[in-house]
Amino acid sequence: LRGIRPRNGLVIRPLLCVGREDITEYLHRRGQEYVTDSTNLTDEYTRNKIRHGAIPIMKEINPGFEKAFLRLSKNLYETRDFIDSEAEKILLNSKTENGFDGRILKEAHPALKNRAAAMILENFGFAFDFERTLRLAERFGTEDFKEELSKNEYLVQKGGIVFKETKAKKETMN
């Protein structure tokens, strides 16, 4: 629902809030030609199925759909930025020499705890998905656990501390 970020590091997309019709009309008035990316013309990609199918239906139901959706998207960005900044504070507060104190994380609001779980996975170099993130967040500060994240790599909670554990690969004998 958030769509593409208007700013992502050094990449800035200043025209995301401007409709295609407005852009092409402006270019036409200026006598400026433009090129259409041929991949945008097919429904091969999910973004195009939404653009060509779902959005026209939504606009038919509600002519103000695009403006409402842009407001929603902006609100989601602001909410996510706030949650990220609060989750970062919690992670900083729970940081230990070896990892993160799960007992501190356990006390966080569920939205912050879930985001902190995702950030911990990212911090340790692992992909996260919704189910894994929820499962880890629910276990913070409770029983010890060892969750395999990839071959020979685990997210562990022992004595309340959440950390990454890497098992050395076993040498094979010839």
Side-chain angles (χ1 to χ4, degrees), residues 35-42 48:
V35 176
T36 299
D37 181 343
S38 62
T39 65
N40 288 336
L41 302 176
T42 71
N48 292 338

Side-chain angles (χ1 to χ4, degrees), residues 6-161:
R7 182 179 201 124
N8 189 5
L10 297 176
V11 176
I12 299 171
R13 298 176 178 93
L15 298 178
L16 284 179
C17 60
V18 181
R20 177 181 174 82
E21 295 81 19
D22 293 334
I23 293 171
T24 55
E25 181 184 318
Y26 172 80
L27 292 172
H28 179 74
R29 284 194 322 261
R30 304 238 350 166
Q32 178 71 45
E33 292 185 27
Y34 63 93
V35 176
T36 299
D37 181 343
S38 62
T39 65
N40 288 336
L41 302 176
T42 71
D43 284 346
E44 186 176 336
Y45 300 99
T46 302
R47 70 178 188 271
N48 292 338
K49 287 180 184 177
I50 293 168
R51 185 181 296 137
H52 299 147
I55 291 176
I57 291 170
M58 296 305 291
K59 286 169 69 174
E60 182 180 312
I61 295 167
N62 175 9
F65 168 76
E66 284 182 294
K67 287 182 181 179
F69 189 81
L70 285 172
R71 287 191 307 270
L72 172 64
S73 180
K74 182 179 185 295
N75 184 269
L76 289 173
Y77 272 110
E78 291 169 352
T79 301
R80 175 64 179 269
D81 286 345
F82 175 74
I83 289 172
D84 282 355
S85 68
E86 293 299 306
E88 286 171 1
K89 290 176 191 174
I90 290 168
L91 287 175
L92 186 61
N93 190 38
S94 68
K95 185 86 171 114
T96 68
E97 186 178 316
N98 302 323
F100 301 92
D101 190 330
R103 295 162 294 210
I104 293 172
L105 297 171
K106 178 183 178 182
E107 301 304 318
H109 183 280
L112 297 176
K113 190 173 12 178
N114 293 335
R115 188 62 190 129
M119 290 173 149
I120 287 172
L121 289 168
E122 286 177 312
N123 182 49
F124 289 139
F126 297 108
F128 63 91
D129 60 42
F130 185 75
E131 289 80 19
R132 175 182 275 174
T133 300
L134 286 181
R135 188 171 58 250
L136 294 173
E138 289 171 357
R139 297 169 80 187
F140 287 149
T142 59
E143 79 278 355
D144 290 350
F145 65 81
K146 187 174 195 172
E147 173 96 14
E148 184 174 19
L149 299 175
S150 68
K151 190 172 182 165
N152 300 318
E153 295 185 300
Y154 304 88
L155 189 67
V156 177
Q157 179 170 264
K158 189 171 184 180
I161 304 301

